[in-house]
Amino acid sequence: MNMHRLAVLFLINLCLILVHSPCLSGQEAAKDYQQLSMELDVRETGSLMFAKYSDDNLAKLEAFLKKYPSAVEREKVLYLKAHTIWSLHRYDKAPPAYAALIKEFPDGRFSRIARLREAAAYLFSGQPTKALPRLKSLQNDYPDRPEMYARELAYSLSRCGMQKEALGFMDLVEASLLASKKERLLPQIRSHFNMIRLIGKPIQDFAVKDHRTRREISPKTLRGKVVLVDFWATWCGPCIADLPFLVSAHEQSAANGFEIFSISLDEDETRYDKMVMDRKMNWLHFYDGNKWDNQLAKQFDIHSVPANLLVDRSGIIRNVNLRGNAIAAEVKTLLKEKQTIQVTLRNAEKYKFPTGMSGDEQGASITVPPEHAQVSTMVRNLDTQFEPVYTYQPKKDFVGKDSVEITLIDVRIGNAPGQEKTTRTKVLIKFNVIE
């Protein structure tokens, strides 16, 4: 009887061991992964994988990882999780997901692309200082394959205040690709390099009409504001993904002197108008229905979208191709800068500002008599439609002084009837005296 009982207990334990054996657990994981792969429509090509991305599918991937902490399929699932977050354009959440894949499979099938995407996600989320060392690490490991990381590294160098280094790096990459007979890769890379090379230069001149108000838009009318010149299209997925960031940045900073000028590469005007209205894109627009032959797209040599230029109050391009949270962050940085306007005075000793005005609530228009000054068009016409008013709060005469800080009050009619926008900008006016 005792022997029979022992035999039964032995068989029960054996069954339990078999049920929880790595072999059976691995078979269950493989079966679940196969089902997961079908549900997500997973496709593999070379070292890449693609799948349908959504919050529901992201939850399924996370559930698999939790259920199978040591399954061989984890490498693929970790990659798909990171790729899903990336594809949902949640760039601030993507770096930890790629870091988890790199940590668990440092020499795995996806390590190289994971390292690049981790750095790019930092870049897109406005954290270039975190992207830069990761990209330089890739450069050290793959010195003969600059095409893999060249765009991201050039952007990171530039956004970390190393524009000179970025220019030198881009020149070296182009020479390297030509020398290694990889010139077929140059057009796409150069389209990004040429945008970066615009940084620090004045935006080129143009004159078009706003799509809705038909008022003129040009560098002259935009002068005095921080402006995002944004090339986009309704058929561009990444463009649509960035719209919430544009709307948010505009809502946060429009009253402080920020403007967006969107240039559409659409050809379906009805669809375009509907999206502009539905997405509350309450800023300047240009549309001519010519798609890639759009007047400004051709002038600025745009070959892919989204693409953008961030221009400061003086009309100088300060950054390019910003994405996600980086847009609002860079805008706020430029808005903190003071604009300097040069005014040349003749017979300065005879020129005297009125006295007696003080405090933020009072001010007087600054008028410079023609016989005493040459005033740049930047001062006279920030907006060709509506003259801005220049106010100041002097506490004493400015005779003998070479500068004075004033406040620009720019009253601009909005994009819809009855919408007026008033912006105030601190400006330092410097006087150049002609003897």
Side-chain angles (χ1 to χ4, degrees):
M1 186 69 178
N2 287 338
M3 290 296 293
H4 178 71
R5 184 175 297 173
L6 287 173
V8 171
L9 291 173
F10 174 77
L11 290 173
I12 292 173
N13 288 329
L14 180 61
C15 290
L16 290 173
I17 291 171
L18 289 173
V19 166
H20 294 285
S21 70
C23 180
L24 291 180
S25 179
Q27 290 176 0
E28 185 180 358
K31 182 179 179 181
D32 282 358
Y33 175 76
Q34 185 177 13
Q35 179 63 31
L36 181 66
S37 179
M38 292 176 60
E39 292 177 5
L40 273 61
D41 190 22
V42 174
R43 290 152 287 134
E44 300 189 34
T45 171
S47 61
L48 299 176
M49 295 182 70
F50 303 93
K52 292 180 179 177
Y53 52 88
S54 67
D55 285 316
D56 287 343
N57 287 347
L58 181 59
K60 292 176 183 178
L61 292 164
E62 291 173 339
F64 182 96
L65 292 169
K66 183 177 181 180
K67 184 176 181 180
Y68 301 107
S70 58
V72 295
E73 292 82 9
R74 281 182 63 83
E75 183 178 12
K76 291 182 178 181
V77 177
L78 282 167
Y79 176 80
L80 289 172
K81 175 185 174 181
H83 177 70
T84 298
I85 296 171
W86 170 277
S87 299
L88 290 169
H89 305 284
R90 295 170 185 166
Y91 301 119
D92 56 332
K93 302 291 193 302
Y98 282 112
L101 171 60
I102 296 167
K103 182 178 180 180
E104 194 164 333
F105 299 95
D107 301 313
R109 169 184 172 187
F110 306 107
S111 62
R112 189 172 60 194
I113 184 64
R115 291 170 63 189
L116 180 61
R117 286 280 178 82
E118 180 192 24
Y122 277 126
L123 184 65
F124 290 174
S125 59
Q127 303 177 79
T129 55
K130 291 184 177 181
L132 187 57
R134 289 165 170 82
L135 291 163
K136 285 193 170 183
S137 177
L138 278 170
Q139 183 184 27
N140 290 334
D141 291 345
Y142 302 96
D144 298 327
R145 298 196 59 186
E147 66 274 11
M148 178 170 51
Y149 48 78
R151 295 175 302 177
E152 290 81 2
L153 182 49
Y155 281 121
S156 294
L157 287 168
S158 179
R159 292 177 193 174
C160 287
M162 304 167 69
Q163 180 69 3
K164 184 178 179 180
E165 290 84 349
L167 295 173
F169 169 70
M170 292 186 293
D171 289 343
L172 286 174
V173 168
E174 290 176 341
S176 172
L177 292 178
L178 285 172
S180 57
K181 302 187 184 304
K182 296 180 180 178
E183 58 270 12
R184 71 187 186 282
L185 303 175
L186 274 174
Q188 185 178 17
I189 292 176
R190 268 192 180 141
S191 68
H192 289 271
F193 283 2
N194 289 340
M195 291 283 282
I196 297 171
R197 288 179 173 124
L198 294 175
I199 294 173
K201 299 178 181 178
I203 188 169
Q204 57 183 290
D205 196 24
F206 62 86
V208 295
K209 299 293 185 182
D210 178 61
H211 180 63
R212 293 186 289 183
T213 67
R214 308 312 298 168
R215 298 193 184 101
E216 182 178 286
I217 303 172
S218 69
K220 184 194 297 186
T221 66
L222 296 172
R223 192 71 67 95
K225 293 182 177 293
V226 172
V227 182
L228 184 75
V229 181
D230 180 52
F231 294 86
W232 76 294
T234 60
W235 41 260
C236 165
C239 300
I240 305 308
D242 268 345
L243 278 181
F245 297 102
L246 294 182
V247 172
S248 176
H250 191 256
E251 289 177 347
Q252 291 175 42
S253 300
N256 298 320
F258 174 52
E259 185 64 275
I260 298 176
F261 174 33
S262 287
I263 300 157
S264 168
L265 274 64
D266 281 279
E267 55 186 351
D268 185 336
E269 187 171 5
T270 301
R271 178 182 178 184
Y272 160 73
D273 284 335
K274 186 176 186 304
M275 181 166 289
V276 168
M277 181 177 294
D278 290 348
R279 295 298 186 111
K280 295 180 171 57
M281 299 168 68
N282 299 320
W283 51 75
L284 303 175
H285 293 272
F286 175 64
Y287 168 89
D288 64 11
N290 293 328
K291 206 171 181 179
W292 291 107
D293 287 328
N294 176 286
Q295 176 185 335
L296 294 183
K298 291 183 71 174
Q299 181 175 340
F300 284 87
D301 198 27
I302 301 299
H303 298 283
S304 64
V305 287
N308 57 57
L309 310 168
L310 185 62
V311 183
D312 69 14
R313 298 184 190 276
S314 299
I316 305 300
I317 297 170
R318 300 291 294 276
N319 223 317
V320 296
N321 288 346
L322 295 166
R323 303 284 299 275
N325 293 325
I327 297 170
E330 292 298 319
V331 166
K332 289 178 181 178
T333 297
L334 292 188
L335 286 173
K336 292 176 183 176
E337 296 182 352
K338 291 181 179 178
Q339 181 186 4
T340 299
I341 298 176
Q342 297 289 336
V343 178
T344 301
L345 296 180
R346 292 188 177 88
N347 300 317
E349 70 280 358
K350 297 180 181 179
Y351 188 82
K352 185 177 180 180
F353 284 97
T355 58
M357 307 300 295
S358 63
D360 294 332
E361 300 301 323
Q362 300 182 69
S365 297
I366 288 182
T367 57
V368 183
E371 67 272 18
H372 288 303
Q374 295 174 330
V375 186
S376 70
T377 56
M378 181 174 171
V379 176
R380 287 277 176 85
N381 293 298
L382 280 184
D383 185 330
T384 57
Q385 303 296 325
F386 302 95
E387 284 289 322
V389 178
Y390 303 93
T391 69
Y392 60 96
Q393 297 83 38
K395 294 184 179 179
K396 59 181 179 179
D397 293 349
F398 287 97
V399 173
K401 302 291 183 180
D402 64 354
S403 66
V404 58
E405 185 174 87
I406 66 171
T407 301
L408 271 66
I409 300 181
D410 182 3
V411 180
R412 184 191 296 263
I413 298 301
N415 292 321
Q419 290 183 351
E420 289 189 354
K421 297 180 181 179
T422 301
T423 61
R424 288 175 170 79
T425 307
K426 290 288 185 182
V427 177
L428 183 68
I429 289 192
K430 292 186 176 181
F431 303 100
N432 298 322
V433 178
I434 296 179
E435 298 296 338

